Amino acid sequence: MEDELYVFHSPSTGKVGYMNNHDEIIIPAKYSSASSKFNMYVVTLGKINSGEEKYALYDSRGNFILGFENNYEFISLSDYEESLIQVQKNGKYGYVNKENEIKIPIIYDEVLQLGNGLITAHKNGKYGFIDFSGNIIIEFQYEDAFIFGEIQSDNHKYCQISINGKYGFINENGQNVIPCIYDSVTQFYKDISEVTINEKHGVINTSGEILIPILYDHLKEDYETGQFVATINSKPKYEFIYDRTGIFIKRRKVSN
């Protein structure tokens, strides 16, 4: 099993490198910043956050996986569970493997991926979805898009998307299951999403059914009771209590 390396700072230069458990220097302290994951080690040269940093990647033996000659402006290991390394070059993003073979073209303005089998990508002003082989699964047609959430009780995953400034949801098959009619939506959690229209709040389920009417000025979930507390800006002020299925429980007056 390969040794895990630990970052250290040079007291004379302030630069960073890596050493092993035996205090042996494996990667010399000559870099501006360092981060690690999956027993691989990202280092940078150049002023931090200057926009001029260059990135490289080492293995735990101190050998380059991706050298500075590639002129990568960014390297991320967040998706390496799929054997993909996210890189940026000439302001564009894509993915390579450990052999520096391009697996997904470096042509995207943005890429987002946190599992669930699809990468959210941005190109030519629109968002779409590609798989880990770079195939377009859902066409580039959205003004905004997030990532797919966890599987809900209906065995589908959902992603918030935007068209004409309004938000809705697609499922993992690209079907627009919740129309883009809301000013904002939250990711589905346990089958429900909080939505807003004209600064009024309510709750819908994965079928698009309104569980809590979209007419409240404030809405919050009490995680201890599993209930929603909704209020309207009025005097006297009342709280309206709903359960997670949208059943109205009671109204109570709020004391000043």
Side-chain angles (χ1 to χ4, degrees):
M1 184 176 179
E2 295 181 348
D3 287 340
E4 184 177 355
L5 305 184
Y6 300 90
V7 69
F8 75 99
H9 291 76
S10 167
S12 59
T13 67
K15 300 295 185 180
V16 296
Y18 285 92
M19 63 174 55
N20 63 18
N21 287 323
H22 307 291
D23 292 335
E24 297 169 332
I25 295 175
I26 305 300
I27 300 173
K30 59 182 182 180
Y31 299 109
S32 305
S33 66
S35 61
S36 64
K37 197 174 184 180
F38 301 111
N39 241 20
M40 294 183 287
Y41 303 87
V42 179
V43 295
T44 69
L45 287 174
K47 185 178 180 180
I48 296 174
N49 298 325
S50 66
E52 298 177 358
E53 280 182 285
K54 297 300 180 184
Y55 284 68
L57 183 65
Y58 278 98
D59 65 19
S60 61
R61 297 179 181 178
N63 301 311
F64 277 115
I65 298 173
L66 303 175
F68 286 104
E69 70 275 6
N70 294 294
N71 290 317
Y72 288 136
E73 298 148 10
F74 181 73
I75 293 175
S76 171
L77 298 171
S78 60
D79 302 321
Y80 192 70
E81 288 177 324
E82 305 294 337
S83 298
L84 295 175
I85 301 168
Q86 185 189 131
V87 297
Q88 181 189 26
K89 190 171 185 176
N90 297 324
K92 301 295 184 181
Y93 293 88
Y95 290 86
V96 300
N97 61 16
K98 288 178 70 173
E99 288 70 44
N100 201 30
E101 298 169 332
I102 295 175
K103 307 305 290 184
I104 295 177
I106 308 172
I107 59 174
Y108 298 102
D109 300 315
E110 182 182 6
V111 287
L112 302 170
Q113 198 276 312
L114 291 176
N116 295 314
L118 289 176
I119 296 169
T120 306
H122 185 242
K123 184 175 70 170
N124 299 328
K126 298 292 184 181
Y127 284 88
F129 299 84
I130 58 178
D131 64 17
F132 295 126
S133 297
N135 301 308
I136 296 175
I137 304 302
I138 301 172
E139 291 294 332
F140 288 78
Q141 57 187 300
Y142 304 111
E143 295 170 358
D144 197 5
F146 295 79
I147 61 171
F148 281 90
E150 299 298 320
I151 295 176
Q152 302 300 302
S153 66
D154 60 3
N155 291 319
H156 286 291
K157 297 173 288 190
Y158 296 90
C159 177
Q160 304 114 297
I161 47 89
S162 171
I163 296 176
N164 296 327
K166 300 293 183 179
Y167 286 84
F169 288 90
I170 58 173
N171 63 19
E172 73 278 15
N173 299 317
Q175 298 169 318
N176 195 350
V177 292
I178 307 291
C180 292
I181 59 174
Y182 300 104
D183 296 327
S184 69
V185 295
T186 63
Q187 181 56 270
F188 279 110
Y189 175 69
K190 293 184 177 179
D191 299 330
I192 63 173
S193 167
E194 182 179 338
V195 301
T196 64
I197 295 178
N198 296 328
E199 299 184 353
K200 301 297 183 180
H201 300 253
V203 170
I204 64 172
N205 62 18
T206 55
S207 297
E209 299 169 331
I210 297 175
L211 302 182
I212 298 177
I214 307 169
L215 53 82
Y216 295 103
D217 295 304
H218 306 281
L219 182 67
K220 64 179 181 179
E221 185 173 6
D222 185 331
Y223 293 103
E224 290 185 2
T225 64
Q227 297 172 344
F228 280 91
V229 180
T231 58
I232 295 175
N233 294 333
S234 63
K235 292 184 179 181
K237 188 175 183 179
Y238 290 92
E239 291 181 336
F240 302 85
I241 314 301
Y242 293 84
D243 70 11
R244 295 189 97 257
T245 66
I247 294 176
F248 177 72
I249 299 174
K250 63 182 178 180
R251 183 187 74 165
R252 63 191 180 201
K253 189 175 182 180
V254 179
S255 58
N256 294 328

